[in-house]
Amino acid sequence: MLVPVFGPQVPTVPVTEIADDTYLLDVREDDEWAAGHAPGAHHLPMMELPRRLAEVPTDRDVAVICRSGGRSAQVVAYLVNNGWEQVRNADGGMRQWAAVGRPVVDANGQPGQVI
């Protein structure tokens, strides 16, 4: 029997339901972030998470986002395993974010693109 890689322990949230006051944690690489990210998102590349864990709030809703949802699901699983309770994976990632018309800006605050 095949077991899902992330299993049922990774809670998700549709990008359309991410509230403006949610802490949006973008775990993509620097070049992806520079090309286009959600305004107000916080950038913390996935591989830097273990040493920067204290930057992720524990007292408010956190939505984790990447390009399509794979890396962010891994980060959500890691955070849940380390005690975070109010954390969700942004379903479909930045691709879905842009597809539903949510804003994307580049490193200069101009209209960006998801790469």
Side-chain angles (χ1 to χ4, degrees), residues 7 17 30 62 82 86 91 95 103 114:
E17 294 180 17
D30 292 339
V62 175
N82 281 279
Q86 296 172 255
D91 193 26
R95 286 185 174 160
V114 178

Side-chain angles (χ1 to χ4, degrees), residues 26 28-38 43 67 94 104-115:
D26 190 321
R28 296 175 301 147
E29 296 300 318
D30 292 339
D31 61 330
E32 295 173 289
W33 168 265
H37 57 271
H43 186 220
R67 180 175 43 233
M94 283 300 299
V104 178
V105 296
D106 68 12
N108 299 313
Q110 299 302 310
Q113 63 180 342
V114 178
I115 63 166

Side-chain angles (χ1 to χ4, degrees), residues 72-96:
S72 53
Q74 293 176 56
V75 168
V76 169
Y78 181 83
L79 291 171
V80 167
N81 287 334
N82 281 279
W84 271 256
E85 295 176 3
Q86 296 172 255
V87 61
R88 305 285 178 267
N89 186 29
D91 193 26
M94 283 300 299
R95 286 185 174 160
Q96 183 65 20

